Amino acid sequence: MHNTKTTRRELTTFLVVAFAVPYLMGVPLAFAQRAGQDTSLFANAQMLYPAAGVMLAYLLARRPGLPMRFYALHIVSTVVCMVCSILSVMMPSQSWLLAVNIVVMAASVLGWVLLLTEKKEKRAACGLRWRGKFLAALGVCALFLALKTGMMFLSAAMSGPEYWAEYLAYWQTFVPWVNLLVLPLNFFLAFLPFLGEEYGWRYYLTPVLQQRFGKRRGVLLLGVLWGLWHLPLNLFFYSPETSLQSLVAQLVVCITMAVFFTFGYEMCGQNLWVPVLLHYLNNNGILVWAGTADISNQVYTWADVGASAVLYGVCFLPFLAAKVFRKDAAGEPETPPADDL
């Protein structure tokens, strides 16, 4: 496991940025939602906060050997997206969402340049260097896509014969297949928000919690905290009309995804890029599975929550039995050397 020693000051800095900031941003988010504005830019900005918290904590602690250029890029991008979100409430316009999307794409492209031109030692020291074998990472991602796709088909089948027929007809069009082909390419233009979450959750907070509460309880607690982190979005973006059901469904998804994402991270040699890829596939795969990326103003029933709990629980909770979560694996695992990237 990477060096997870963290001071109370570092942890406090992380928690303030990663949790307090999005909850405070829930105030302008609520105003925007009640005014009927598009609030998706708040969701885009919020994904950047966890990594910004880690980076600020490390910078304030003056840790040596940090990739300063990449850290600066991410922090500046986070601040710009946050300011755009606030300004969108004060001066409503669709151009603010466009501005946030442009910032994310530009910062993602520049981020690759800064990372690939950074010294390998600096990338390795802060968890940003590729580790382990490419085929292992590919296998984990393929397994995740297979499980999620199977879940979507089961969910459609459980929705009744009419919906099932419509869903099968959808897969006979070109839409899902075109979206599937462009899915890997778009990652390079939009990786920063997904690294923004995973650098906070998988790289920083999960090891801290696992050292304190054990491997299994630590990852489950991380899932609960990750789910509650979404609360402002559940209230004012995802499902304002059924926010309680939305929050419970969110907790189900985050707890089970935390198990699988951490499994992928550990199985691939503590390779941060594996959960980053998994997170990207989970969020953007909706274009393949449903043909739309619109996840706002959904309406949940308790039956939907129950079905989600069963499907996600059956697919992902069994990975808690994996060796990486066993008590006898609590020591330092043998980590494959980093590939030459």
Side-chain angles (χ1 to χ4, degrees), residues 207-233:
V208 171
L209 294 175
Q210 286 183 321
Q211 286 185 350
R212 176 65 177 84
F213 299 102
K215 285 183 173 290
R216 289 185 177 131
R217 285 183 296 174
V219 76
L220 293 174
L221 179 57
L222 183 281
V224 173
L225 294 175
W226 186 20
L228 294 175
W229 174 81
H230 288 86
L231 179 60
L233 301 177

mmCIF file of all heavy atoms in Angstrom, residues 207-233:
data_model
loop_
_atom_site.group_PDB
_atom_site.id
_atom_site.type_symbol
_atom_site.label_atom_id
_atom_site.label_comp_id
_atom_site.label_asym_id
_atom_site.label_seq_id
_atom_site.Cartn_x
_atom_site.Cartn_y
_atom_site.Cartn_z
ATOM 1 N N PRO A 207 -7.548 4.252 1.958
ATOM 2 C CA PRO A 207 -6.476 3.702 2.810
ATOM 3 C C PRO A 207 -6.504 4.248 4.236
ATOM 4 O O PRO A 207 -6.202 3.516 5.185
ATOM 5 C CB PRO A 207 -5.202 4.119 2.078
ATOM 6 C CG PRO A 207 -5.620 4.305 0.664
ATOM 7 C CD PRO A 207 -6.995 4.868 0.738
ATOM 8 N N VAL A 208 -6.861 5.535 4.387
ATOM 9 C CA VAL A 208 -6.941 6.114 5.733
ATOM 10 C C VAL A 208 -7.994 5.388 6.563
ATOM 11 O O VAL A 208 -7.768 5.027 7.721
ATOM 12 C CB VAL A 208 -7.256 7.624 5.649
ATOM 13 C CG1 VAL A 208 -7.565 8.183 7.030
ATOM 14 C CG2 VAL A 208 -6.093 8.381 5.026
ATOM 15 N N LEU A 209 -9.163 5.155 5.973
ATOM 16 C CA LEU A 209 -10.237 4.476 6.691
ATOM 17 C C LEU A 209 -9.916 3.005 6.929
ATOM 18 O O LEU A 209 -10.246 2.448 7.984
ATOM 19 C CB LEU A 209 -11.542 4.603 5.899
ATOM 20 C CG LEU A 209 -12.110 6.017 5.773
ATOM 21 C CD1 LEU A 209 -13.338 6.015 4.868
ATOM 22 C CD2 LEU A 209 -12.463 6.597 7.142
ATOM 23 N N GLN A 210 -9.267 2.362 5.959
ATOM 24 C CA GLN A 210 -8.932 0.948 6.120
ATOM 25 C C GLN A 210 -7.890 0.744 7.215
ATOM 26 O O GLN A 210 -7.938 -0.253 7.938
ATOM 27 C CB GLN A 210 -8.440 0.368 4.796
ATOM 28 C CG GLN A 210 -9.550 0.153 3.779
ATOM 29 C CD GLN A 210 -9.054 -0.483 2.499
ATOM 30 O OE1 GLN A 210 -7.978 -0.164 2.012
ATOM 31 N NE2 GLN A 210 -9.841 -1.373 1.944
ATOM 32 N N GLN A 211 -6.969 1.659 7.356
ATOM 33 C CA GLN A 211 -5.974 1.547 8.427
ATOM 34 C C GLN A 211 -6.625 1.694 9.798
ATOM 35 O O GLN A 211 -6.180 1.102 10.776
ATOM 36 C CB GLN A 211 -4.891 2.600 8.246
ATOM 37 C CG GLN A 211 -3.927 2.291 7.112
ATOM 38 C CD GLN A 211 -2.782 3.292 7.031
ATOM 39 O OE1 GLN A 211 -2.798 4.324 7.690
ATOM 40 N NE2 GLN A 211 -1.793 2.971 6.226
ATOM 41 N N ARG A 212 -7.696 2.467 9.851
ATOM 42 C CA ARG A 212 -8.373 2.715 11.131
ATOM 43 C C ARG A 212 -9.425 1.653 11.450
ATOM 44 O O ARG A 212 -9.574 1.227 12.600
ATOM 45 C CB ARG A 212 -9.025 4.109 11.099
ATOM 46 C CG ARG A 212 -9.849 4.465 12.322
ATOM 47 C CD ARG A 212 -8.973 4.572 13.556
ATOM 48 N NE ARG A 212 -9.744 4.976 14.724
ATOM 49 C CZ ARG A 212 -10.439 4.137 15.494
ATOM 50 N NH1 ARG A 212 -10.436 2.843 15.204
ATOM 51 N NH2 ARG A 212 -11.094 4.574 16.524
ATOM 52 N N PHE A 213 -10.182 1.204 10.426
ATOM 53 C CA PHE A 213 -11.332 0.330 10.667
ATOM 54 C C PHE A 213 -11.196 -1.064 10.066
ATOM 55 O O PHE A 213 -12.091 -1.891 10.222
ATOM 56 C CB PHE A 213 -12.601 0.983 10.110
ATOM 57 C CG PHE A 213 -12.924 2.300 10.741
ATOM 58 C CD1 PHE A 213 -12.644 3.493 10.078
ATOM 59 C CD2 PHE A 213 -13.498 2.361 12.004
ATOM 60 C CE1 PHE A 213 -12.945 4.718 10.653
ATOM 61 C CE2 PHE A 213 -13.799 3.574 12.594
ATOM 62 C CZ PHE A 213 -13.519 4.764 11.918
ATOM 63 N N GLY A 214 -10.113 -1.334 9.368
ATOM 64 C CA GLY A 214 -9.956 -2.621 8.703
ATOM 65 C C GLY A 214 -10.324 -2.520 7.237
ATOM 66 O O GLY A 214 -10.991 -1.578 6.810
ATOM 67 N N LYS A 215 -9.904 -3.509 6.477
ATOM 68 C CA LYS A 215 -10.061 -3.423 5.029
ATOM 69 C C LYS A 215 -11.516 -3.423 4.587
ATOM 70 O O LYS A 215 -11.914 -2.621 3.739
ATOM 71 C CB LYS A 215 -9.295 -4.564 4.361
ATOM 72 C CG LYS A 215 -7.791 -4.354 4.355
ATOM 73 C CD LYS A 215 -7.080 -5.464 3.627
ATOM 74 C CE LYS A 215 -5.595 -5.130 3.483
ATOM 75 N NZ LYS A 215 -5.358 -4.032 2.556
ATOM 76 N N ARG A 216 -12.334 -4.322 5.140
ATOM 77 C CA ARG A 216 -13.720 -4.402 4.700
ATOM 78 C C ARG A 216 -14.563 -3.272 5.265
ATOM 79 O O ARG A 216 -15.301 -2.604 4.534
ATOM 80 C CB ARG A 216 -14.307 -5.761 5.086
ATOM 81 C CG ARG A 216 -13.730 -6.906 4.243
ATOM 82 C CD ARG A 216 -14.420 -8.222 4.551
ATOM 83 N NE ARG A 216 -13.896 -9.284 3.690
ATOM 84 C CZ ARG A 216 -13.502 -10.463 4.107
ATOM 85 N NH1 ARG A 216 -13.565 -10.765 5.390
ATOM 86 N NH2 ARG A 216 -13.056 -11.368 3.255
ATOM 87 N N ARG A 217 -14.485 -3.060 6.562
ATOM 88 C CA ARG A 217 -15.278 -1.979 7.155
ATOM 89 C C ARG A 217 -14.838 -0.621 6.634
ATOM 90 O O ARG A 217 -15.667 0.291 6.457
ATOM 91 C CB ARG A 217 -15.166 -2.031 8.682
ATOM 92 C CG ARG A 217 -15.971 -3.160 9.309
ATOM 93 C CD ARG A 217 -15.880 -3.132 10.814
ATOM 94 N NE ARG A 217 -14.516 -3.377 11.277
ATOM 95 C CZ ARG A 217 -14.125 -3.298 12.551
ATOM 96 N NH1 ARG A 217 -14.995 -2.972 13.490
ATOM 97 N NH2 ARG A 217 -12.878 -3.553 12.887
ATOM 98 N N GLY A 218 -13.547 -0.485 6.372
ATOM 99 C CA GLY A 218 -13.056 0.788 5.850
ATOM 100 C C GLY A 218 -13.627 1.107 4.490
ATOM 101 O O GLY A 218 -14.043 2.241 4.228
ATOM 102 N N VAL A 219 -13.683 0.110 3.585
ATOM 103 C CA VAL A 219 -14.201 0.372 2.241
ATOM 104 C C VAL A 219 -15.709 0.584 2.273
ATOM 105 O O VAL A 219 -16.247 1.389 1.496
ATOM 106 C CB VAL A 219 -13.796 -0.759 1.269
ATOM 107 C CG1 VAL A 219 -14.630 -2.015 1.490
ATOM 108 C CG2 VAL A 219 -13.926 -0.295 -0.174
ATOM 109 N N LEU A 220 -16.417 -0.111 3.182
ATOM 110 C CA LEU A 220 -17.859 0.097 3.301
ATOM 111 C C LEU A 220 -18.162 1.483 3.869
ATOM 112 O O LEU A 220 -19.104 2.162 3.417
ATOM 113 C CB LEU A 220 -18.477 -0.986 4.183
ATOM 114 C CG LEU A 220 -18.455 -2.407 3.598
ATOM 115 C CD1 LEU A 220 -18.962 -3.417 4.621
ATOM 116 C CD2 LEU A 220 -19.293 -2.481 2.321
ATOM 117 N N LEU A 221 -17.375 1.910 4.838
ATOM 118 C CA LEU A 221 -17.564 3.259 5.387
ATOM 119 C C LEU A 221 -17.278 4.310 4.335
ATOM 120 O O LEU A 221 -17.984 5.331 4.248
ATOM 121 C CB LEU A 221 -16.650 3.455 6.605
ATOM 122 C CG LEU A 221 -16.709 4.834 7.274
ATOM 123 C CD1 LEU A 221 -18.129 5.175 7.702
ATOM 124 C CD2 LEU A 221 -15.753 4.881 8.467
ATOM 125 N N LEU A 222 -16.261 4.077 3.530
ATOM 126 C CA LEU A 222 -15.972 5.002 2.430
ATOM 127 C C LEU A 222 -17.175 5.109 1.509
ATOM 128 O O LEU A 222 -17.545 6.204 1.072
ATOM 129 C CB LEU A 222 -14.744 4.520 1.660
ATOM 130 C CG LEU A 222 -14.195 5.374 0.498
ATOM 131 C CD1 LEU A 222 -14.977 5.208 -0.784
ATOM 132 C CD2 LEU A 222 -14.085 6.839 0.879
ATOM 133 N N GLY A 223 -17.826 3.968 1.215
ATOM 134 C CA GLY A 223 -19.005 3.985 0.363
ATOM 135 C C GLY A 223 -20.118 4.830 0.946
ATOM 136 O O GLY A 223 -20.798 5.573 0.222
ATOM 137 N N VAL A 224 -20.326 4.744 2.261
ATOM 138 C CA VAL A 224 -21.355 5.561 2.919
ATOM 139 C C VAL A 224 -21.019 7.046 2.798
ATOM 140 O O VAL A 224 -21.870 7.875 2.441
ATOM 141 C CB VAL A 224 -21.503 5.151 4.400
ATOM 142 C CG1 VAL A 224 -22.446 6.117 5.126
ATOM 143 C CG2 VAL A 224 -22.019 3.717 4.509
ATOM 144 N N LEU A 225 -19.776 7.397 3.100
ATOM 145 C CA LEU A 225 -19.366 8.800 3.016
ATOM 146 C C LEU A 225 -19.457 9.317 1.582
ATOM 147 O O LEU A 225 -19.885 10.456 1.346
ATOM 148 C CB LEU A 225 -17.937 8.951 3.538
ATOM 149 C CG LEU A 225 -17.739 8.658 5.028
ATOM 150 C CD1 LEU A 225 -16.259 8.720 5.382
ATOM 151 C CD2 LEU A 225 -18.532 9.647 5.877
ATOM 152 N N TRP A 226 -19.051 8.497 0.646
ATOM 153 C CA TRP A 226 -19.130 8.869 -0.773
ATOM 154 C C TRP A 226 -20.576 9.101 -1.182
ATOM 155 O O TRP A 226 -20.886 10.040 -1.913
ATOM 156 C CB TRP A 226 -18.483 7.747 -1.587
ATOM 157 C CG TRP A 226 -18.343 8.000 -3.050
ATOM 158 C CD1 TRP A 226 -18.362 9.207 -3.697
ATOM 159 C CD2 TRP A 226 -18.143 7.012 -4.068
ATOM 160 N NE1 TRP A 226 -18.181 9.024 -5.047
ATOM 161 C CE2 TRP A 226 -18.047 7.685 -5.290
ATOM 162 C CE3 TRP A 226 -18.020 5.622 -4.040
ATOM 163 C CZ2 TRP A 226 -17.852 7.019 -6.504
ATOM 164 C CZ3 TRP A 226 -17.814 4.950 -5.231
ATOM 165 C CH2 TRP A 226 -17.731 5.645 -6.448
ATOM 166 N N GLY A 227 -21.471 8.248 -0.711
ATOM 167 C CA GLY A 227 -22.883 8.428 -1.025
ATOM 168 C C GLY A 227 -23.430 9.720 -0.440
ATOM 169 O O GLY A 227 -24.139 10.476 -1.114
ATOM 170 N N LEU A 228 -23.098 10.007 0.831
ATOM 171 C CA LEU A 228 -23.581 11.227 1.474
ATOM 172 C C LEU A 228 -22.976 12.472 0.834
ATOM 173 O O LEU A 228 -23.583 13.549 0.877
ATOM 174 C CB LEU A 228 -23.252 11.186 2.971
ATOM 175 C CG LEU A 228 -23.986 10.107 3.776
ATOM 176 C CD1 LEU A 228 -23.483 10.082 5.209
ATOM 177 C CD2 LEU A 228 -25.491 10.349 3.740
ATOM 178 N N TRP A 229 -21.808 12.334 0.265
ATOM 179 C CA TRP A 229 -21.168 13.454 -0.445
ATOM 180 C C TRP A 229 -22.056 13.945 -1.591
ATOM 181 O O TRP A 229 -22.030 15.116 -1.953
ATOM 182 C CB TRP A 229 -19.822 12.980 -0.962
ATOM 183 C CG TRP A 229 -19.065 13.922 -1.832
ATOM 184 C CD1 TRP A 229 -18.286 14.972 -1.434
ATOM 185 C CD2 TRP A 229 -18.978 13.887 -3.270
ATOM 186 N NE1 TRP A 229 -17.709 15.591 -2.523
ATOM 187 C CE2 TRP A 229 -18.114 14.945 -3.654
ATOM 188 C CE3 TRP A 229 -19.524 13.071 -4.248
ATOM 189 C CZ2 TRP A 229 -17.812 15.207 -4.996
ATOM 190 C CZ3 TRP A 229 -19.218 13.313 -5.571
ATOM 191 C CH2 TRP A 229 -18.381 14.374 -5.944
ATOM 192 N N HIS A 230 -22.876 13.058 -2.142
ATOM 193 C CA HIS A 230 -23.760 13.410 -3.256
ATOM 194 C C HIS A 230 -25.036 14.118 -2.804
ATOM 195 O O HIS A 230 -25.862 14.481 -3.663
ATOM 196 C CB HIS A 230 -24.168 12.154 -4.036
ATOM 197 C CG HIS A 230 -23.070 11.545 -4.856
ATOM 198 N ND1 HIS A 230 -22.169 10.640 -4.320
ATOM 199 C CD2 HIS A 230 -22.739 11.685 -6.162
ATOM 200 C CE1 HIS A 230 -21.325 10.256 -5.269
ATOM 201 N NE2 HIS A 230 -21.646 10.858 -6.390
ATOM 202 N N LEU A 231 -25.252 14.295 -1.506
ATOM 203 C CA LEU A 231 -26.531 14.796 -1.003
ATOM 204 C C LEU A 231 -27.025 16.070 -1.695
ATOM 205 O O LEU A 231 -28.203 16.140 -2.097
ATOM 206 C CB LEU A 231 -26.452 15.016 0.510
ATOM 207 C CG LEU A 231 -27.736 15.560 1.162
ATOM 208 C CD1 LEU A 231 -28.896 14.600 0.945
ATOM 209 C CD2 LEU A 231 -27.503 15.807 2.644
ATOM 210 N N PRO A 232 -26.192 17.118 -1.868
ATOM 211 C CA PRO A 232 -26.699 18.313 -2.568
ATOM 212 C C PRO A 232 -27.205 18.004 -3.972
ATOM 213 O O PRO A 232 -28.200 18.594 -4.428
ATOM 214 C CB PRO A 232 -25.479 19.249 -2.602
ATOM 215 C CG PRO A 232 -24.621 18.796 -1.479
ATOM 216 C CD PRO A 232 -24.800 17.311 -1.408
ATOM 217 N N LEU A 233 -26.557 17.072 -4.651
ATOM 218 C CA LEU A 233 -26.979 16.701 -5.999
ATOM 219 C C LEU A 233 -28.264 15.881 -5.964
ATOM 220 O O LEU A 233 -29.119 16.024 -6.844
ATOM 221 C CB LEU A 233 -25.870 15.922 -6.711
ATOM 222 C CG LEU A 233 -24.534 16.646 -6.858
ATOM 223 C CD1 LEU A 233 -23.491 15.746 -7.514
ATOM 224 C CD2 LEU A 233 -24.699 17.929 -7.679
#
